[in-house]
Amino acid sequence: MSYGPVVDADAHFIEPAETWSAKYLDQRYASAVPRRVVDSRGRTRRMVGDKLLPYIPLPPGKKPERLPGAADPAARLADMDRAGVDVMVIYPTAGLYFFSLEDKDACVAMCRAYNDWAADFCAHDPRRLVAPAVIPQMDVQAAIAEARRGAGIGLKGAFMRPNPIGGRTLEHPAYEPLWAVLAENNVPVVLHEGTTQDLPQVGLDRYDNFLFRHMVSHPFEQQMGLLSLIMGGVLERHPNLRAMIVECGVGWAPYWLDRMDDHAHHWGHASAPLALKPSEYFKRQVFVGAEGDERLLPFTVEAIGDDNLCFSTDYPHPDHDFDGVVDGLKAMKGLSEESKRKILGANAARLFGLDLSWWKAPRIAAE
């Protein structure tokens, strides 16, 4: 069976040094570039501005971020062809650290540099390479301006963190003009957590074990971001706003939606009233990226349906193997062929408004 074009809804760049060159970045802000340094114990750590961030242990002997496709579009397309991925939606790596920059002007400059570089990368094949704009979340008007500018240079979507930024969670009234602009211009917002350890983050106050921090930060921060968007009334006030939640799996979604529905029923008096059940806003406006090898995917489809789930690889990060991931999902038991078609590409194409009319099914060689 042909499942249609495969859209990887969560892949990454590893931004090369060129991203921060004078071609893209105002060099007055060069000192703010997230960079790797060696500490006094010989460990490689991130430095953002003048802040040295906690150590992140990398898998021994496994450094997929050095794949040429991490920063070279031709090499990435070759990897995509090998794996059977037709389109990639690509997010930053160093850009995850922009959100902790305290200097607003530096943050804006970093976002602009990254977005210009990403637009040039995607221009190599704009049908297959897609990137949302990273927006300076600490300043709402600057975020609006960069979201608009990003759309003007061919970027699709707005990339944000679910964490509190500048002391504001996502339902904060200050964000209302941003949500209105994104909804009006049909720009989806992508929430992506990262265990950068430089922002308010679940687990950071109680664990020094990076495995613990990484395990809890991604799903719990994303669940709270979704809580803000739905039960904070953002999606009710902006019914045309679409949101994408990535890199935390999907197995939690049925539980979290059920719990939100239950709390809206029993504890709705303690919050602003909603016209719909939380799960109804989710089905209307929210998408979640499944890991390619996620064993709870069939359970999730049975619980909440298949219209809001997308497929992701996290290429080239070390969390998952890339080779064989598409074939693995196609062979997954417990999913209908129609569910696989939606999850592998149709849902993400709908979310990002992708024109896939160019795609042709590969020929199957005669036996």
Side-chain angles (χ1 to χ4, degrees):
M1 172 181 175
S2 171
Y3 296 96
V6 173
V7 180
D8 179 355
D10 176 21
H12 286 268
F13 298 116
I14 304 294
E15 299 90 328
E18 179 194 17
T19 313
W20 323 120
S21 68
K23 178 180 179 181
Y24 297 108
L25 177 66
D26 183 335
Q27 293 300 290
R28 290 179 297 172
Y29 303 106
S31 63
V33 172
R35 57 201 184 277
R36 296 187 185 277
V37 299
V38 177
D39 69 11
S40 60
R41 295 172 61 182
R43 303 175 305 179
T44 300
R45 293 164 63 179
R46 284 275 188 185
M47 174 86 82
V48 181
D50 59 358
K51 293 187 295 185
L52 185 62
L53 303 189
Y55 173 63
I56 298 177
L58 295 175
K62 185 178 181 182
K63 299 183 181 300
E65 68 270 20
R66 293 185 179 178
L67 289 171
D72 177 76
R76 181 174 294 247
L77 289 167
D79 284 345
M80 291 165 59
D81 290 340
R82 187 183 71 250
V85 173
D86 297 293
V87 178
M88 266 190 176
V89 184
I90 315 170
Y91 311 123
T93 295
L96 287 166
Y97 296 86
F98 296 168
F99 299 89
S100 68
L101 288 167
E102 297 174 358
D103 183 331
K104 186 198 81 169
D105 292 339
C107 184
V108 171
M110 298 298 295
C111 289
R112 288 178 65 92
Y114 166 84
N115 290 335
D116 286 341
W117 176 84
D120 283 351
F121 184 105
C122 293
H124 188 85
D125 190 340
R127 300 180 307 174
R128 302 186 63 190
L129 303 172
V130 176
V134 176
I135 59 177
Q137 199 167 334
M138 67 161 66
D139 185 286
V140 174
Q141 290 305 314
I144 291 172
E146 192 59 18
R148 285 177 166 153
R149 196 185 74 87
I153 59 176
L155 303 179
K156 294 183 181 295
F159 180 98
M160 298 175 67
R161 291 284 294 266
N163 317 71
I165 305 294
R168 295 189 294 255
T169 50
L170 296 177
E171 83 282 6
H172 194 286
Y175 281 125
E176 282 298 294
L178 174 62
W179 305 136
V181 167
L182 297 182
E184 179 183 351
N185 290 278
N186 201 31
V187 175
V189 58
V190 177
L191 298 184
H192 193 303
E193 174 60 338
T195 313
T196 53
Q197 308 172 106
D198 58 348
L199 293 169
Q201 192 165 59
V202 172
L204 195 59
D205 61 336
R206 66 187 71 184
Y207 298 127
D208 62 4
N209 184 318
F210 183 76
L211 180 152
F212 289 15
R213 289 181 175 182
H214 190 273
M215 183 166 175
V216 300
S217 68
H218 282 66
F220 296 161
E221 288 293 345
Q222 295 283 48
Q223 287 175 49
M224 288 188 285
L226 182 62
L227 175 71
S228 290
L229 291 179
I230 292 180
M231 301 196 80
V234 174
L235 300 187
E236 179 173 77
R237 293 188 295 273
H238 305 282
N240 294 324
L241 179 65
R242 292 161 296 139
M244 174 73 170
I245 293 175
V246 293
E247 206 162 309
C248 58
V250 299
W252 57 270
Y255 159 76
W256 198 236
L257 293 174
D258 187 66
R259 186 168 176 82
M260 281 196 285
D261 282 351
D262 181 75
H263 273 65
H265 177 71
H266 292 289
W267 291 95
H269 61 276
S271 189
L274 297 173
L276 304 176
K277 293 168 62 175
S279 59
E280 292 174 324
Y281 293 106
F282 176 89
K283 291 179 180 179
R284 187 178 74 182
Q285 294 170 257
V286 181
F287 296 76
V288 181
E291 314 294 348
D293 56 356
E294 191 168 352
R295 289 177 294 174
L296 290 180
L297 186 51
F299 156 77
T300 304
V301 170
E302 182 178 356
I304 65 172
D306 57 13
D307 289 328
N308 303 80
L309 306 177
C310 302
F311 162 77
S312 65
T313 68
D314 203 30
Y315 172 100
H317 286 175
D319 301 68
H320 306 281
D321 291 330
F322 182 66
D323 290 339
V325 67
V326 174
D327 290 338
L329 196 148
K330 289 179 178 179
M332 184 175 287
K333 296 180 180 179
L335 289 178
S336 71
E337 302 302 280
E338 178 62 10
S339 290
K340 292 175 183 177
R341 184 189 69 83
K342 291 180 179 180
I343 295 166
L344 279 167
N347 290 341
R350 178 162 53 93
L351 167 65
F352 288 101
L354 304 179
D355 179 6
L356 300 178
S357 60
W358 54 269
W359 183 84
K360 294 181 180 179
R363 292 183 179 182
I364 300 176
E367 296 185 4

